[in-house]
């Protein structure tokens, strides 16, 4: 059974289809958005090996002429060099503005392919076919596209909404447990931000989600996508409520930058640690109870998402470097750090002008 979640953005509206077997139907679903009947698939080497034959057969069956551009896997691809390489591939292949780009992979591919589509010839439509749990529940929805720079994660990018998102749950069965845990961090985030009942459901069902049990997995993906869709509808360009989706991410992005954006620390792992840090710092400031902060940390640890900065991959972390990276975060204003903190589970809020001295002391306590 396929469930469809609309993202209502007026002229930029689109649907997110969630279910099994969508990859085999991709051609017929994509065809209305490819007036030239020409499709440029951007993927990585791992996804191409596992899933490209099914997608290409579907595109061929729909009489869509298609080309595949295969990039190296990993966060390192999200760079100026990777973006230039992809844009030049598209241009040399003769792409025009009536063609369609298909981002076929995880968050890295979705980010760089969406950004290239938004830039080449001043904008080409694209479709997201996310193949990781993290990409299905988070990065494929909302139109954020970007590359990383030495100064920070996702510092160069734009908002370019897809025309369609196809989240085939069946492809998740090929993911290693580590990737499933990364995606789970973005699922549980929805409960921590605004739905205490969903967090309680996660505590009871997280193992089923990570182990790809069909009913639990479908429920979690639909719940997370619907939550994000409503936030994006209310605040597409992150001027208000959408900032709540950054719960844990100011910490997480600093951790990733500190660790060098390699495979040692994946984005979802950094988010898991960031969520625990956001609640621990909230408790330290007297905003939420220490018991709730412990509850969040205990749950994340139990799901294999390490929350101890002393042993987190990429350690040792330096509190002063962490603070400098956080001060340079995209959400900072006039040099003041902006955090998303919590009053309780399910009640997150944006906290501007965070006290740097208190934050440094908190980080020192977590790291030493």
């Amino acid at each position: 059974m396929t469930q469809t979640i609309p993202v209502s953005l007026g002229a930029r509206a689109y649907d997110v289809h969630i279910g099994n077997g969508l990859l085999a139907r991709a051609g017929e679903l994509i065809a209305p958005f490819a007036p030239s009947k020409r499709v440029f698939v951007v993927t990585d080497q791992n996804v191409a090996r596992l899933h490209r034959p099914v997608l290409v057969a579907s595109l061929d069956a729909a009489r869509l002429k298609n080309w595949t551009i295969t990039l190296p896997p990993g966060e390192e691809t999200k760079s100026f060099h990777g973006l230039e390489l992809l844009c030049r591939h598209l241009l040399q292949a003769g792409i025009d503005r009536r063609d369609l780009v298909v981002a076929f992979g995880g968050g890295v591919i979705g980010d760089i392919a969406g950004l290239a589509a938004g830039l080449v010839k001043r904008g080409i439509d694209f479709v997201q076919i996310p193949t990781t749990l993290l990409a299905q529940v988070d990065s494929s929805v909302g139109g954020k596209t970007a590359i990383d720079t030495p100064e920070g994660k996702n510092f160069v990018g734009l908002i370019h909404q897809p025309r369609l998102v196809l989240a085939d749950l069946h492809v998740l069965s090929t993911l290693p447990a580590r990737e499933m845990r990364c995606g789970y961090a973005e699922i549980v985030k929805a409960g921590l931000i605004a739905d205490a009942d969903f967090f309680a459901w996660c505590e009871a069902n997280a193992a089923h989600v990570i182990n790809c049990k069909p009913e639990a997995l479908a429920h979690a993906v639909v719940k997370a996508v619907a939550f994000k869709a409503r936030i994006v509808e209310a605040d597409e360009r992150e001027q208000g409520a959408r900032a709540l989706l950054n719960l844990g991410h100011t910490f997480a992005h600093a951790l990733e930058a500190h660790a060098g954006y390699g495979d040692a620390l994946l984005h979802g792992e950094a988010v898991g640690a960031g969520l625990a840090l956001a609640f621990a710092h909230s408790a330290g400031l007297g905003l939420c109870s220490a018991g709730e902060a412990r509850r969040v940390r205990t749950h994340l640890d139990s799901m294999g998402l390490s929350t101890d900065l002393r042993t987190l991959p990429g350690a040792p972390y330096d509190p002063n470097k962490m603070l400098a990276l956080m001060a340079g975060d995209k959400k900072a204003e006039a040099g003041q750090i902006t955090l998303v903190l919590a009053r309780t589970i399910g009640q997150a809020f944006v906290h501007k002008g965070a006290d740097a001295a208190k934050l440094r002391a908190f980080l020192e306590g977590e790291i030493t």
Side-chain angles (χ1 to χ4, degrees), residues 6-10 12-14 229-230 232-233:
V7 184
S8 301
L9 293 171
R12 297 175 306 286
Y14 55 94
R230 303 294 82 81
V232 170
E233 288 171 351

Side-chain angles (χ1 to χ4, degrees), residues 32-185:
F33 306 104
S36 68
K37 304 299 181 186
R38 289 160 37 106
V39 174
F40 292 80
V41 177
V42 181
T43 190
D44 69 33
Q45 293 158 352
N46 294 333
V47 174
R49 174 173 47 84
L50 291 168
H51 303 300
R52 180 177 176 272
V54 175
L55 176 59
V56 169
S58 175
L59 297 174
D60 288 344
R63 301 182 184 277
L64 295 173
K65 190 172 183 180
N66 58 88
W67 295 262
T68 300
I69 298 170
T70 305
L71 303 176
E75 190 76 22
E76 297 92 337
T77 293
K78 276 180 54 176
S79 64
F80 275 113
H81 175 70
L83 179 63
E84 179 187 12
L85 184 69
L86 175 54
C87 289
R88 294 191 67 193
H89 273 309
L90 291 169
L91 292 168
Q92 290 169 6
I95 194 168
D96 69 42
R97 291 164 78 174
R98 287 171 51 82
D99 295 335
L100 186 73
V101 172
V102 173
F104 182 42
V108 167
I109 291 297
D111 277 358
I112 195 169
L115 179 56
L119 293 173
V120 167
K121 299 194 172 177
R122 295 182 179 169
I124 293 170
D125 285 346
F126 85 113
V127 165
Q128 289 267 21
I129 305 182
T131 59
T132 64
L133 181 59
L134 190 150
Q136 289 190 2
V137 302
D138 184 58
S139 58
S140 67
V141 180
K144 284 187 177 180
T145 70
I147 57 171
D148 304 331
T149 73
E151 290 73 26
K153 185 177 177 68
N154 296 333
F155 266 25
V156 176
L158 49 79
I159 292 179
H160 184 45
Q161 299 292 351
R163 297 301 307 277
L164 180 73
V165 180
L166 302 178
D168 188 336
L169 301 178
H170 178 70
V171 304
L172 302 180
S173 63
T174 65
L175 291 179
R178 185 185 186 193
E179 289 284 356
M180 291 297 292
R181 289 194 295 269
C182 284
Y184 177 72

Side-chain angles (χ1 to χ4, degrees), residues 115-291:
L115 179 56
L119 293 173
V120 167
K121 299 194 172 177
R122 295 182 179 169
I124 293 170
D125 285 346
F126 85 113
V127 165
Q128 289 267 21
I129 305 182
T131 59
T132 64
L133 181 59
L134 190 150
Q136 289 190 2
V137 302
D138 184 58
S139 58
S140 67
V141 180
K144 284 187 177 180
T145 70
I147 57 171
D148 304 331
T149 73
E151 290 73 26
K153 185 177 177 68
N154 296 333
F155 266 25
V156 176
L158 49 79
I159 292 179
H160 184 45
Q161 299 292 351
R163 297 301 307 277
L164 180 73
V165 180
L166 302 178
D168 188 336
L169 301 178
H170 178 70
V171 304
L172 302 180
S173 63
T174 65
L175 291 179
R178 185 185 186 193
E179 289 284 356
M180 291 297 292
R181 289 194 295 269
C182 284
Y184 177 72
E186 294 285 2
I187 289 172
V188 74
K189 180 187 76 175
L192 294 173
I193 292 171
D195 192 338
D197 289 340
F198 182 55
F199 178 72
W201 182 92
C202 286
E203 289 178 302
N205 294 278
H208 297 315
V209 175
I210 291 171
N211 291 321
C212 288
K213 300 299 182 182
E215 186 175 343
L217 179 61
H219 177 76
V221 172
V222 168
K223 189 80 172 178
V225 170
F227 169 72
K228 183 166 187 182
R230 303 294 82 81
I231 293 279
V232 170
E233 288 171 351
D235 180 24
E236 181 183 7
R237 304 197 68 83
E238 199 171 306
Q239 301 302 306
R242 188 168 181 176
L244 291 171
L245 296 174
N246 291 305
L247 178 66
H249 281 58
T250 305
F251 292 105
H253 290 168
L255 290 168
E256 287 181 89
H258 197 301
Y261 298 121
D263 288 336
L265 182 68
L266 301 181
H267 176 64
E269 294 168 334
V271 169
L275 293 171
L277 291 170
F279 270 82
H281 190 43
S282 297
L285 295 174
L287 298 169
C288 80
S289 72

